[in-house]
Amino acid sequence: MTLTNIISAIGNNNSIYPLLVRDCGIEVPTKVILTKKQNESNKEVAKLATRERLVDEYTTSAVWLGGIPLLERITNKIISKKGFNPAISVKLLKNSASNGENVQGLDYNIKKFKLSAPEAVKDLEFLKNNKAKYMKLLGGKVFAETAIPIALMGFVIPKLIFAWTAKTKREIAKKKAEAQNNANLNFGAKKYDSVDEFIAQNPSFKGNIISSMAEMSTVQKMAATDGGYAVGRVLTARNKTAAVDVSFKMAGMMFLNFVFPKMLANFLDKTTGKLIKTNLNLDIKMLDDKEFINAIKNKTLNLPTVKTGEELLEFADKNPKNLFVQYANKYGKIKLLENGVRDPRSYVDLKSLKDFRDSIAQIAQKACESGDISGFMKKAKYLKAANILANVGISSFLLAYGLPKAQFALRKLFLKCELEPGIAD
């Protein structure tokens, strides 16, 4: 994998890669260190709080980043064994003109692609004839992919960790009591400044809701389970102070993981794009694509001149070999079958497709006007790379350092508890 591909992956806020980098690579290690430092005035609390943070963060990350994709694969296999194709977009079942029903939809696609994509149409027809059964399977899929992670992250993991901490605290208290008794009986022996020193030196759903949730991407499911996870953590908090503390933390994490990076990406792309008088909305891999750059140079891009998303989709269906259509397929705006026909099982976001076309048109025009297309595209690529790295860096800093510091300030100023709530009680 090239450096450009790596930067592209971590810059895609609709994938798990930025979350993986921020969460496991930067956020968790930093939080563990900060937790230890924040509670260092009490060695016992510091040890327990650090252990809790380390185990909690990584086990939760394992469920969050790995468990949800695993459950998706399992539920999709179950649906496949029942005869349905899990690749069918649930949005095709909705009857709404605002969703592009006039150019796509279950009945529309069955009729349109009957001859050009017969195998895919069979999948659609089977679903149509067994819709009630499919919706039940879909309900089970939604439940499994949300309820199980929420239960594990919001209730099971914290309860197990709290029980472990409580057991350790009882063991420490017992050792302290035994040490104190031994010290009282050991007249004339060495005196200790504290019991701690003694121990140290003497160690002993349904309907549209289901359809909407089933259509969510992996990252959207992670965001949804994060909400349930947050509620679970508040409900399982050891006291009111801990509940307020974890509410603040979870709200901040959800904002910084799912909302802020997209806002920041839009701001950076818009701001730095002014340097070359164009947008930077395209994937960095496309800005580095030699075929794309040569097509701009040779004026062979042949972008469709249409006004609406519906017209653009019709163009794509009639011109599958067009370079724009091929790029739309490559970057997930549409999905083509091996024979070049658009997959009738997939739903096309018409606005996203139109925005993709407009972004290409604008950057191609500005590249031509620059007089140096290769130099222009190289500058655009470097600016995009800088934006992505800045986004990851800023988001990670706020998650790993800014949010914990704000949380500690909340404890000190409002909760009147400088040490870890729930442990220091």
Side-chain angles (χ1 to χ4, degrees):
M1 181 178 282
T2 66
L3 180 61
T4 299
N5 288 339
I6 293 173
I7 294 175
S8 173
I10 65 174
N12 182 2
N13 288 309
N14 293 314
S15 76
I16 68 170
Y17 296 110
L19 297 172
L20 185 64
V21 171
R22 290 196 300 263
D23 192 79
C24 295
I26 302 173
E27 180 187 351
V28 174
T30 305
K31 281 183 175 180
V32 171
I33 294 171
L34 288 175
T35 298
K36 183 177 181 180
K37 185 177 180 181
Q38 177 66 22
N39 295 281
E40 61 186 1
S41 61
N42 186 310
K43 292 183 179 180
E44 181 183 312
V45 173
K47 180 180 178 180
L48 293 174
T50 304
R51 186 180 72 177
E52 276 198 0
R53 178 73 72 186
L54 182 66
V55 175
D56 186 19
E57 294 287 350
Y58 276 115
T59 52
T60 299
S61 294
V63 173
W64 192 51
L65 295 168
I68 294 175
L70 176 61
L71 286 169
E72 286 180 342
R73 288 195 290 270
I74 293 172
T75 53
N76 284 341
K77 283 186 177 180
I78 293 173
I79 289 176
S80 296
K81 288 183 178 180
K82 297 296 182 179
F84 298 97
N85 190 329
I88 297 175
S89 172
V90 182
K91 288 183 179 179
L92 295 176
L93 302 177
K94 298 179 179 180
N95 297 314
S96 172
S98 63
N99 287 328
E101 180 64 21
N102 53 329
V103 291
Q104 58 182 331
L106 193 62
D107 292 330
Y108 182 94
N109 283 2
I110 288 175
K111 182 179 179 180
K112 179 174 182 176
F113 295 96
K114 186 80 173 180
L115 298 178
S116 58
E119 293 302 316
V121 168
K122 285 182 181 179
D123 290 337
L124 297 180
E125 290 176 332
F126 184 78
L127 187 154
K128 180 182 177 181
N129 295 331
N130 298 275
K131 187 175 179 181
K133 182 179 179 181
Y134 182 71
M135 293 306 293
K136 288 182 180 180
L137 290 170
L138 210 57
K141 174 182 170 71
V142 169
F143 180 81
E145 293 173 2
T146 54
I148 293 175
I150 287 173
L152 288 173
M153 296 188 298
F155 296 90
V156 177
I157 291 175
K159 284 293 186 182
L160 290 174
I161 292 175
F162 295 165
W164 187 20
T165 297
K167 180 182 177 182
T168 303
K169 289 176 71 175
R170 288 194 299 269
E171 291 173 350
I172 291 174
K174 182 179 179 181
K175 288 181 180 180
K176 285 183 176 181
E178 291 175 350
Q180 187 63 54
N181 290 335
N182 291 335
N184 292 337
L185 294 172
N186 192 13
F187 298 107
K190 177 182 176 182
K191 298 186 184 297
Y192 296 91
D193 294 332
S194 67
V195 176
D196 287 338
E197 181 185 348
F198 179 88
I199 295 174
Q201 296 186 29
N202 298 271
S204 46
F205 320 93
K206 68 181 179 177
N208 289 333
I209 295 177
I210 292 177
S211 297
S212 298
M213 294 184 70
E215 191 60 29
M216 292 191 298
S217 67
T218 300
V219 173
Q220 288 171 330
K221 289 173 186 173
M222 293 171 73
T225 55
D226 233 21
Y229 158 42
V231 172
R233 287 305 173 98
V234 174
L235 294 177
T236 56
R238 285 171 285 204
N239 52 47
K240 289 183 179 180
T241 301
V244 174
D245 184 66
V246 77
S247 297
F248 179 83
K249 169 191 166 185
M250 294 306 302
M253 285 177 60
M254 291 180 67
F255 175 75
L256 293 174
N257 265 320
F258 299 107
V259 180
F260 179 75
K262 292 183 179 182
M263 293 172 58
L264 183 59
N266 290 334
F267 171 77
L268 291 173
D269 286 346
K270 184 177 180 180
T271 303
T272 57
K274 292 180 180 180
L275 297 174
I276 53 175
K277 299 179 181 179
T278 188
N279 71 81
L280 289 172
N281 298 331
L282 299 179
D283 192 296
I284 189 174
K285 290 188 295 184
M286 195 165 178
L287 299 175
D288 194 40
D289 191 304
K290 291 182 180 179
E291 184 182 13
F292 177 55
I293 295 172
N294 288 332
I296 297 175
K297 289 180 179 179
N298 301 327
K299 301 185 184 303
T300 57
L301 197 53
N302 296 326
L303 286 175
T305 54
V306 295
K307 296 181 179 180
T308 67
E310 288 87 349
E311 292 175 339
L312 190 56
L313 187 61
E314 192 66 25
F315 173 89
D317 289 341
K318 292 180 179 178
N319 303 274
K321 293 184 179 180
N322 176 272
L323 190 57
F324 163 75
V325 179
Q326 292 296 311
Y327 276 120
N329 177 58
K330 182 177 181 179
Y331 290 97
K333 307 304 177 182
I334 62 174
K335 183 179 180 181
L336 300 179
L337 299 172
E338 290 184 4
N339 62 0
V341 176
R342 177 166 61 86
D343 190 341
R345 295 164 298 194
S346 297
Y347 179 83
V348 180
D349 184 329
L350 300 182
K351 183 180 184 304
S352 178
L353 182 65
K354 182 67 164 53
D355 289 344
F356 183 63
R357 182 261 171 216
D358 293 345
S359 294
I360 292 176
Q362 185 183 115
I363 202 165
Q365 179 184 347
K366 294 299 181 182
C368 291
E369 291 175 355
S370 71
D372 180 7
I373 294 175
S374 295
F376 179 91
M377 296 301 289
K378 184 178 291 186
K379 188 173 183 179
K381 181 186 76 171
Y382 289 149
L383 287 172
K384 185 71 175 183
N387 289 351
I388 292 171
L389 296 176
N391 194 328
V392 172
I394 294 170
S395 299
S396 298
F397 172 79
L398 292 175
L399 269 167
Y401 187 83
L403 180 58
K405 282 294 186 180
Q407 187 179 359
F408 298 150
L410 173 75
R411 292 176 187 173
K412 185 175 181 179
L413 297 175
F414 299 102
L415 303 180
K416 308 302 179 184
C417 176
E418 295 190 30
L419 300 177
E420 198 75 16
I423 296 179
D425 53 8

